[in-house]
Amino acid sequence: MRGCSFCQLGVFKHADMRGHSAVFCVSSLCSLLVCVCWWEVAAYKHVLLLHGLRDGPQQFDDLITYISETHPGTNVTALDLYDGEKSLEPLWEQVEGYRKAIYPIMESAKDGVHLICYSQGGMICRGLLATLPDHNVHSAIFLSAPLAGQYGGISSLDHWLSRLAKLLVSMFCYTALGQRVSVCNYWNDPHHRKLYLKGNSYLALLNGEKTHPNISEWKENFLRIKKLVLIGGEDDGLITPWKSSFFGFYDEQENVVEMRSQNWYLHDVFGLKTLDMRKDLVQCQFSGIEHIRWPHVREVYDSCIEKWL
């Protein structure tokens, strides 16, 4: 246990009463320090890790090492669900699968849990936080996640071809068949809002862009978290626009509208503004980090994650 090596004390023998009294005091002090050290370890909350698209729990190997070094004794679970190609399954189905796996952990973690949600895992966490009425998530940490949606990822193509390819993606994604693919559940085409609002069955509901009877309840559930931590950067190369990691997104001219200027923030539709006003919303921006590297960069962990665990 961190900081407890000084508890390995020897026994001091002395003939007079003061010596015996000293033995008692040193032993008592050691016991007290052991209790303090045990409390320090016990105070670390269980950490749950949700992986990204077409990957699995192994992508968190470095992150688990960092947690064990800075918070020894922490229970860390990298959830082994919807790995590889199975991560393409519809997000509502994945939310239900993760709920069944996570709920028993939450029930046994009386002091609460932390969520670290990477990439597409962040979209699953949004669904969990909205629909779990009695979750005990303390810190929800979103690591380069397309929280306001995705519109891109094909930047290597020529501009005109890219626009055509995106249109074709939208025409597929906003069909019933397209919504059976996870990526389509958060594909957000700013040029075809009617198609998006009509066809999207996941992100548009979470954002309250489509009216539904559960929006007030989902907002209350979302606001149960104590800290919302958003991590992203301009060199990500995959999340498009990268400001989606901070709940920013394109307008119809593909200008990025920052989080605090989004309608669902201004009207506090799902609780983001309340968290911000509570000073429980943190944004952590890093340059020079490609998308696949986020869980492996120690500086990101030290600066943006460790303090909230």
Side-chain angles (χ1 to χ4, degrees), residues 36-284:
V36 170
C37 294
W38 174 86
W39 177 87
E40 180 184 7
V41 170
Y44 294 138
K45 296 175 175 59
H46 199 133
V47 179
L48 305 175
L49 308 175
L50 278 71
H51 65 79
L53 181 67
R54 303 181 72 179
D55 217 311
Q58 69 280 352
Q59 72 179 173
F60 290 121
D61 287 349
D62 288 336
L63 188 56
I64 292 171
T65 297
Y66 304 153
I67 295 172
S68 67
E69 290 175 355
T70 61
H71 296 275
T74 301
N75 288 322
V76 182
T77 300
L79 290 144
D80 192 5
L81 292 170
Y82 300 99
D83 304 344
E85 299 305 312
K86 290 185 177 180
S87 66
L88 290 167
E89 294 185 15
L91 289 188
W92 282 126
E93 292 184 12
Q94 293 195 49
V95 167
E96 178 62 17
Y98 275 102
R99 184 192 66 79
K100 291 177 179 178
I102 286 174
Y103 200 71
I105 297 174
M106 289 182 173
E107 285 188 311
S108 63
K110 302 303 181 183
D111 293 330
V113 301
H114 299 303
L115 289 182
I116 300 179
C117 315
Y118 172 49
S119 194
Q120 181 178 275
M123 298 308 299
I124 296 167
C125 285
R126 281 202 65 186
L128 288 168
L129 292 170
T131 59
L132 277 174
D134 53 354
H135 73 76
N136 57 358
V137 175
H138 192 279
S139 295
I141 302 171
F142 290 89
L143 185 59
S144 188
L147 298 172
Q150 176 82 2
Y151 183 67
I154 46 179
S155 57
S156 60
L157 301 176
D158 291 335
H159 179 70
W160 69 269
L161 183 57
S162 175
R163 286 290 297 271
L164 176 60
K166 290 175 183 176
L167 174 59
L168 293 175
V169 170
S170 298
M171 292 177 65
F172 168 73
C173 276
Y174 300 142
T175 65
L177 179 61
Q179 288 296 293
R180 298 293 301 168
V181 180
S182 65
V183 177
C184 289
N185 294 154
Y186 51 94
W187 183 260
N188 190 352
D189 188 336
H191 304 290
H192 297 89
R193 296 298 296 168
K194 289 183 179 180
L195 279 177
Y196 164 74
L197 292 174
K198 180 179 179 180
N200 186 278
S201 62
Y202 190 80
L203 179 63
L205 294 176
L206 291 174
N207 285 347
E209 295 166 308
K210 292 173 73 170
T211 58
H212 60 92
N214 300 316
I215 189 63
S216 296
E217 178 185 348
W218 288 7
K219 179 179 178 179
E220 291 180 11
N221 297 339
F222 183 74
L223 288 173
R224 289 177 63 88
I225 63 176
K226 303 299 186 293
K227 190 69 65 174
L228 178 64
V229 182
L230 311 178
I231 304 171
E234 65 272 22
D235 299 312
D236 181 273
L238 180 62
I239 304 301
T240 310
W242 76 264
K243 281 290 184 73
S244 184
S245 298
F246 292 162
F247 281 101
F249 205 72
Y250 293 131
D251 61 15
E252 292 183 358
Q253 288 74 44
E254 294 193 32
N255 299 310
V256 173
V257 179
E258 302 286 344
M259 174 188 71
R260 293 181 178 90
S261 296
Q262 295 284 346
N263 283 333
W264 33 256
Y265 176 93
L266 295 171
H267 297 286
D268 202 23
V269 176
F270 60 90
L272 202 59
K273 184 176 182 180
T274 295
L275 282 176
D276 198 14
M277 295 299 100
R278 276 175 20 190
K279 300 189 183 304
D280 288 327
L281 190 156
V282 177
Q283 294 179 330
C284 190

